[in-house]
Amino acid sequence: MTPADLPDTAGPGGLRRARRPGPPAAPGDRRVNCRPPVGSRAAAEPAPVLLADGLLTERLALAAPEGTRVVVADYEIPPGGTLPWHYHDGRVVAVVTAGVLTRTLADGSECVTPTGACIVEPVGPRGVHMAENRGSGPLRICALFFLPRDCALSTRADPPAAAAPD
């Protein structure tokens, strides 16, 4: 079964995964998102496991040079749990797959991201932030990191002055 053959199903947060049939596959075509020619018997293909499905709410500009470290991480934060103040040395794109993510940013503002929505994390120390699960159930986040080689996923940081409680 190819992704184009998957049924149209609701994903996290009620988002719909649209079926987009690709052009018919030519003999020897190695693309996975196209249908086999009519009347052919394609061998069964493994079906992918959908880990996250969300919509970007901001523009994503990504230039990843050769040698960029790519990491996929699945976080589960229990109710009342936090990810402490930190920043990333590379681009991070994440989808909230369960619960509601509340982030406090360097300027003290808060961003609330529900299930099915995506975030694009700021890069570098000026993009310091923290994350909280203020809900009653677990918060799950699937994150895709594009990092310099030999770089940690995140670096702990002190809370910025703008985010200090009054």
Side-chain angles (χ1 to χ4, degrees), residues 30-117:
R30 301 176 70 96
R31 294 174 296 168
V32 296
N33 287 333
C34 45
R35 293 188 174 159
V38 175
S40 71
R41 299 193 71 204
E45 295 179 19
V49 175
L50 184 62
L51 298 178
D53 186 348
L55 298 174
L56 283 173
T57 57
E58 57 190 281
R59 188 169 188 272
L60 172 62
L62 179 64
E66 186 175 331
T68 295
R69 180 176 173 215
V70 179
V71 178
V72 178
D74 188 26
Y75 292 89
E76 183 168 325
I77 304 169
T82 64
L83 293 177
W85 287 98
H86 65 280
Y87 62 89
H88 307 283
D89 286 319
R91 178 64 65 208
V92 179
V93 180
V95 179
V96 176
T97 58
V100 176
L101 169 64
T102 302
R103 293 180 298 147
T104 304
L105 306 180
D107 64 1
S109 64
E110 288 188 347
C111 291
V112 176
T113 308
T115 298

Side-chain angles (χ1 to χ4, degrees), residues 1-3 5-6 32 43-49:
M1 175 182 294
T2 67
D5 296 323
L6 294 173
V32 296
E45 295 179 19
V49 175

